[in-house]
Amino acid sequence: QVQLVESGGGLVQAGGSLRLSCAASGRTFSSYTMGWFRQAPGKERDFVAAISWSGSRTYYSDSVKGRFTISRDNVKNTVYLQMDSLKPEDTAVYYCAADARIGTIATNKAEYDYWGQGTQVTISL
């Protein structure tokens, strides 16, 4: 089993920045593809970004390309999401997720095996 705990959410004005962290425990963190998803009230949980087990490959949704950066530190068992140039439409609960398969970088939430509890990100106008 893998346990994931997100942190770093909060309230920030449009145009500002926020850095989310996801701390993992329980299994070998470095063997997992890691992803970030977000869910606004009344909406589906959507893909945001993913990073391969080695950190050599990343993938982003079109809505966050050029603004968000995903990274990981396997020594610290932590994945990060640096969010810059934030917009009100970025407001959502952000979830960290882990995919046990090596060699994949899935964008489909159904492919992920473990999920954190989420952290609220609110962008004011």
Side-chain angles (χ1 to χ4, degrees):
Q1 287 278 57
V2 172
Q3 293 80 46
L4 305 173
V5 180
E6 303 95 336
S7 63
L11 175 65
V12 66
Q13 291 184 340
S17 297
L18 209 56
R19 190 193 195 202
L20 305 183
S21 297
C22 173
S25 63
R27 298 290 296 274
T28 304
F29 175 77
S30 61
S31 66
Y32 292 86
T33 295
M34 300 296 297
W36 285 97
F37 293 77
R38 65 187 182 186
Q39 186 169 19
K43 302 292 182 66
E44 298 292 324
R45 187 173 299 186
D46 293 327
F47 172 78
V48 176
I51 186 167
S52 63
W53 70 272
S54 67
S56 62
R57 292 180 293 129
T58 59
Y59 193 77
Y60 300 90
S61 68
D62 289 340
S63 62
V64 306
K65 284 181 181 177
R67 299 189 299 119
F68 291 11
T69 303
I70 188 171
S71 62
R72 68 191 297 163
D73 185 336
N74 289 342
V75 174
K76 296 181 178 180
N77 291 335
T78 303
V79 63
Y80 306 95
L81 186 67
Q82 177 66 44
M83 304 185 293
D84 299 319
S85 302
L86 284 162
K87 305 174 181 179
E89 48 264 47
D90 295 319
T91 295
V93 175
Y94 283 70
Y95 297 90
C96 176
D99 177 2
R101 298 176 300 167
I102 298 175
T104 67
I105 186 164
T107 60
N108 186 345
K109 59 181 177 289
E111 300 293 333
Y112 287 81
D113 304 295
Y114 306 101
W115 295 85
Q117 290 295 108
T119 185
Q120 177 70 50
V121 171
T122 303
I123 313 302
S124 62
L125 204 57

